Amino acid sequence: MIGDSIIADPKLAPEGNRKIDWVAQHAPVMNNIFEKHLSDGALRGRRVAMTIHLEAKTAYLAVLLSEAGAEVTVSGSNPLSTQDDVCAALAERGVRVFASHDPSDEDFEGYLIRTIETAPEIVIDDGAELVSRLLIHRPDLLDNVLGASEETTTGILKLKAMTAEGALPFPVLAANDAKMKHLFDNRYGTGHSAIVSLLANTNLFLSGKAVVVMGFGWVGRGLARYADGMGARVIVCEPDPVKLLEAYSEGYEVMNSMQAAEVGDVFLTGTGNLKVLRTEHFERMKDGALLANAGHYDHEFDLAGLKEMAAAEREVRRNVTEYELPDGRRLHVLARGRLVNIAAGDGHPVEIMDLTFSVQALAAHYLAKNAASMPGGLQPIPDEIDELVARAKLAALGVEPEHLTEEQISYQKSWR
Ligand SMILES: NC(=O)c1ccc[n+]([C@@H]2O[C@H](COP(=O)([O-])OP(=O)(O)OC[C@H]3O[C@@H](n4cnc5c(N)ncnc54)[C@H](O)[C@@H]3O)[C@@H](O)[C@H]2O)c1
């Protein structure tokens, strides 16, 4: 214990500090936003609660909010996506942490409940874990909440349902839907890091393998792109006919999941849906097939169904579980079906999360200043936040966007 934090091992702090310092060196946009916006006093004394995959990039966001004067409490948004050394470093730096890498279901729930019990004024959420628990378990604390922001597609879906029911008394900014978030993080960040994690954990070669990508949303597009870049034969399965045609037009093979189950060497899910791969798929898969999930929850594969089918289950490598079926075929599941890029790797590249967490930092800052005059329910991130983050990133790259002439501007506005 450091302060009232609950973490696995405070002695791990030196390694966690090195990881956070590395992020700080590679996050020019967050650093710029801290100097120009966060340090204006708007967040001073505010109680901020965060739950996002708790690794070094998230930790750096928590550190900056804390240095901006906020009283920050963090918990992990998903078992396995928390790094214990990072938690120790954060606790040492004065952030309250309730998290560990592989908690029991009961402990995981307990961490989230403790986090909401700090009576947050601003919530930075992932998967709507904190907001939903505030609504269900502690409605007495809702009056404290100025506003929240949401990190991922899965959380946005839940918040839309809450908004439709009129259940959200405070504004929630859809950080996931900011252009500077999903176009980069969901697509390039997840695609890049999921493939890196798949390769690092299996030590196998992707060239020539048939990689089946389930879902051609933002995450699926990234998975397909980076699998293609590693020389794989990419097959896309997607229920939306327009998106499936987009995948076809990108040059990928397209088919339904029953056909793909028979030919795939690797299966990557990124749908946000449940039981995308289930017993009827497992029955058709080849010996040695690899299954990895990049969607938010661990229910994109029907793991209970697979366990029931299996004659034997064993760990064959770190983060790789082998299920041997009665006919001798072996299916290999990475990271117990949890987000492969974060639960079995370091997550998105730093430069990508520099953009995402700049959006989140500015969202918290915006809520501190404006939430009192905003209506309840899910709201878009203001365009000026997207613009500010994009310009700060370009400035860090030394690149100027094109300037339009007066003649071009008036031409674009005329119709005669
Ligand atoms: N691993 C990460 O770091 C990371 C990062 C960002 C988002 N996510 C998560 O990834 C998931 C997808 O996010 P997104 O932004 O791509 O969402 P999205 O809505 O853009 O895309 C999801 C796609 O999956 C398709 N789909 C739904 N059910 C399917 C099925 N049974 N088979 C095939 N396709 C199906 C949908 O039609 C849609 O096109 C969400 O759970 C999100 O929270 C994870």
Side-chain angles (χ1 to χ4, degrees):
M1 284 255 292
I2 302 181
D4 55 356
S5 288
I6 303 178
I7 55 173
D9 185 358
K11 291 195 294 301
L12 301 176
E15 181 54 19
N17 276 316
R18 273 195 291 275
K19 288 183 179 173
I20 298 171
D21 291 344
W22 178 257
V23 171
Q25 265 186 47
H26 294 89
V29 186
M30 286 172 85
N31 292 334
N32 172 308
I33 277 159
F34 176 76
E35 274 164 35
K36 295 206 175 122
H37 303 277
L38 294 196
S39 53
D40 67 359
L43 287 161
R44 195 170 302 130
R46 291 290 187 199
R47 290 184 303 279
V48 175
M50 287 172 53
T51 182
I52 303 188
H53 308 294
L54 230 182
E55 42 72 60
K57 282 94 67 184
T58 315
Y60 191 50
L61 171 64
V63 166
L64 291 184
L65 293 172
S66 166
E67 286 178 5
E71 188 194 304
V72 184
T73 305
V74 295
S75 51
S77 82
N78 227 300
L80 302 189
S81 70
T82 288
Q83 297 187 7
D84 287 329
D85 49 6
V86 168
C87 293
L90 261 186
E92 196 179 84
R93 292 184 190 212
V95 171
R96 190 187 288 118
V97 186
F98 300 127
S100 60
H101 176 66
D102 193 7
S104 64
D105 289 348
E106 200 186 347
D107 283 349
F108 180 72
E109 188 60 29
Y111 296 150
L112 293 170
I113 296 294
R114 276 175 192 268
T115 305
I116 59 171
E117 282 172 350
T118 61
E121 293 166 289
I122 296 172
V123 175
I124 302 181
D125 214 349
D126 194 349
E129 303 294 357
L130 295 179
V131 168
S132 59
R133 282 168 180 79
L134 276 162
L135 292 181
I136 295 168
H137 300 297
R138 293 303 302 267
D140 57 309
L141 296 175
L142 290 172
D143 278 352
N144 295 291
V145 184
L146 286 171
S149 65
E150 169 56 44
E151 171 79 3
T152 200
T153 316
T154 284
I156 298 288
L157 287 177
K158 294 187 200 172
L159 290 157
K160 278 185 181 159
M162 293 174 196
T163 305
E165 278 181 26
L168 280 173
F170 48 80
V172 183
L173 292 174
N176 176 74
D177 296 353
K179 293 193 218 64
M180 290 307 297
K181 199 279 183 180
H182 71 278
L183 292 180
F184 300 88
D185 170 323
N186 300 30
R187 180 167 43 177
Y188 305 114
T190 310
H192 178 280
S193 56
I195 298 298
V196 164
S197 188
L198 172 78
L199 297 178
N201 282 291
T202 59
N203 197 24
L204 295 174
F205 195 44
L206 221 45
S207 279
K209 288 208 170 62
V211 173
V212 178
V213 175
M214 306 290 300
F216 202 63
W218 296 112
V219 166
R221 280 157 211 254
L223 295 171
R225 177 192 164 103
Y226 287 94
D228 186 41
M230 294 305 291
R233 169 188 158 203
V234 176
I235 298 167
V236 174
C237 307
E238 160 65 56
D240 180 322
V242 176
K243 290 182 182 173
L244 197 59
L245 276 172
E246 281 184 276
Y248 174 79
S249 307
E250 284 288 334
Y252 305 133
E253 288 176 58
V254 293
M255 54 182 82
N256 71 45
S257 63
M258 289 304 155
Q259 295 167 310
E262 289 177 9
V263 292
D265 299 301
V266 180
F267 294 83
L268 302 174
T269 50
T271 71
N273 212 339
L274 82 169
K275 297 188 184 173
V276 172
L277 292 174
R278 44 192 185 272
T279 49
E280 53 192 330
H281 298 101
F282 306 143
E283 273 158 12
R284 290 172 165 77
M285 284 181 187
K286 295 196 276 192
D287 180 34
L290 292 168
L291 286 74
N293 170 44
H296 190 74
Y297 287 121
D298 62 346
H299 57 209
E300 300 220 8
F301 316 143
D302 178 9
L303 271 186
L306 181 56
K307 275 175 197 278
E308 220 165 274
M309 281 171 79
E313 173 184 336
R314 60 186 85 89
E315 287 298 307
V316 284
R317 279 178 69 89
R318 189 159 179 253
N319 295 320
V320 184
T321 311
E322 179 178 278
Y323 294 89
E324 188 177 334
L325 303 180
D327 61 8
R329 282 176 304 127
R330 293 153 301 176
L331 305 185
H332 295 131
V333 173
L334 275 90
R336 296 187 228 155
R338 295 203 178 272
L339 315 95
V340 67
N341 56 327
I342 314 178
D346 268 337
H348 294 59
V350 181
E351 294 94 326
I352 295 283
M353 294 317 282
D354 189 23
L355 304 177
T356 296
F357 288 153
S358 294
V359 169
Q360 286 286 22
L362 287 169
H365 184 255
Y366 185 89
L367 288 168
K369 286 185 139 174
N370 301 297
S373 59
M374 291 165 70
L378 192 63
Q379 328 261 335
I381 283 274
D383 287 343
E384 68 247 34
I385 291 186
D386 264 334
E387 169 114 5
L388 208 150
V389 174
R391 286 191 184 278
K393 176 66 183 177
L394 288 170
L397 293 170
V399 177
E400 275 268 312
E402 187 64 13
H403 287 285
L404 297 182
T405 64
E406 286 305 320
E407 189 186 13
Q408 288 169 335
I409 293 169
S410 72
Y411 173 74
Q412 286 185 322
K413 289 181 185 156
S414 65
W415 63 273
R416 283 191 171 81

